[in-house]
Amino acid sequence: MRVLFRSGAVPDAVPDEVALLGLRRVLVLCDDHGLDTARAVAASLGDACAGLHAGAVTHVPVEVADLAVEAAREARADGCVAVGGGSVTGLAKAVALRTGLPIVAVPTTYAGSEMTPVWGLTEGAVKRTGRDPKVLPRSVVYDPLLTLTMPPVGSATSGMNAIAHAVEALYAPDSTPIVALMAEEGVRALAAALPEIVADPSGHDARSRALYGAWLCGACLGATTMGLHHKLCHVLGGTFDLPHAETHAVVLPHVLAFNAPAVPEALAALSRALDVPDPVRELHELGERLGIPRSLANLGLTAADVDRAVDVALGAPYANPRPASADELRAVLHAAWAGERPYGG
């Protein structure tokens, strides 16, 4: 994987990366919100652009993936350029999973999906995930200027989603000292940058530091096994169609509070990164200061949905430093649903 990080990298860098990979006909993927940026990237590619497909949606429904695969085949594409956030990268991964086409990722949010070999598809209200090296992008072009179009709340939820990747990586069963260093630094960078972005969305320096943090957090996710936090968020997204980043932002402090007794080293690392004695409290209150949703109820989940979410979560195994019974999962999800403080009080 090649990673290029430079303000103003687009439009010249993407054609260069496509050429380095020997690609001659690439399909540019995006969602409806990122059409303008994707069109600019497509124009920069000239004759190497075989078409633009704007069909990406959250959680990558299989029928949406099918349409993208068909578009790639009709265009006789030999690669994909994903311009957007995690949904767009996820769609490119679905295409790569079926076709083997290489991906050039151009992130415009702090999702971090571009740094992982993890794919996800939703079918029949169930989100399945897996790992395959062929879905890992071959090149990633980070241009902080592309994140300037994210509104403050969108930036904040995207950044909290990235922080969640690093938090779980700190206590993953296959974490390493290098991953722990990257996770701590990623959390530190994002937690400092996000309030500045909310205060001044046009600030280039804060945007750059946030994207740097997201890069690190995404790499941590790609190197480790996902646990309870990601499992619950996949259930909430795939089964109930809750928004991806917002769901991660709400659930994060609640799962961390549950796991806290079993992960003292992870808590110590987060305390250093956040410069606070209680990282659970700080992550919850950081969300409040950033003005992002603090409850799953605000995202559309009903109280009756909590029991179904518990049942779905119990139906598939996941790694976690502390086992969770049905009642304990219900308590975690109910607290997140109600927007309770995970640290009491």
PDB file of all heavy atoms in Angstrom, residues 31 166 270:
ATOM      1  N   ASP A  31     -20.693   8.867  -3.576  1.00  0.00           N
ATOM      2  CA  ASP A  31     -22.110   8.909  -3.209  1.00  0.00           C
ATOM      3  C   ASP A  31     -22.696  10.218  -3.712  1.00  0.00           C
ATOM      4  O   ASP A  31     -21.994  11.049  -4.306  1.00  0.00           O
ATOM      5  CB  ASP A  31     -22.302   8.728  -1.699  1.00  0.00           C
ATOM      6  CG  ASP A  31     -21.560   9.773  -0.877  1.00  0.00           C
ATOM      7  OD1 ASP A  31     -21.186  10.840  -1.436  1.00  0.00           O
ATOM      8  OD2 ASP A  31     -21.335   9.538   0.315  1.00  0.00           O
ATOM      9  N   ALA A 166      -9.417   3.077  17.299  1.00  0.00           N
ATOM     10  CA  ALA A 166      -8.193   3.023  18.095  1.00  0.00           C
ATOM     11  C   ALA A 166      -8.456   2.485  19.492  1.00  0.00           C
ATOM     12  O   ALA A 166      -7.636   1.734  20.040  1.00  0.00           O
ATOM     13  CB  ALA A 166      -7.575   4.417  18.181  1.00  0.00           C
ATOM     14  N   LEU A 270      -5.316   5.682  27.073  1.00  0.00           N
ATOM     15  CA  LEU A 270      -6.317   6.688  26.744  1.00  0.00           C
ATOM     16  C   LEU A 270      -6.229   7.889  27.684  1.00  0.00           C
ATOM     17  O   LEU A 270      -6.438   9.031  27.260  1.00  0.00           O
ATOM     18  CB  LEU A 270      -7.717   6.070  26.801  1.00  0.00           C
ATOM     19  CG  LEU A 270      -8.031   5.059  25.694  1.00  0.00           C
ATOM     20  CD1 LEU A 270      -9.340   4.347  25.976  1.00  0.00           C
ATOM     21  CD2 LEU A 270      -8.078   5.750  24.338  1.00  0.00           C
TER      22      LEU A 270
END
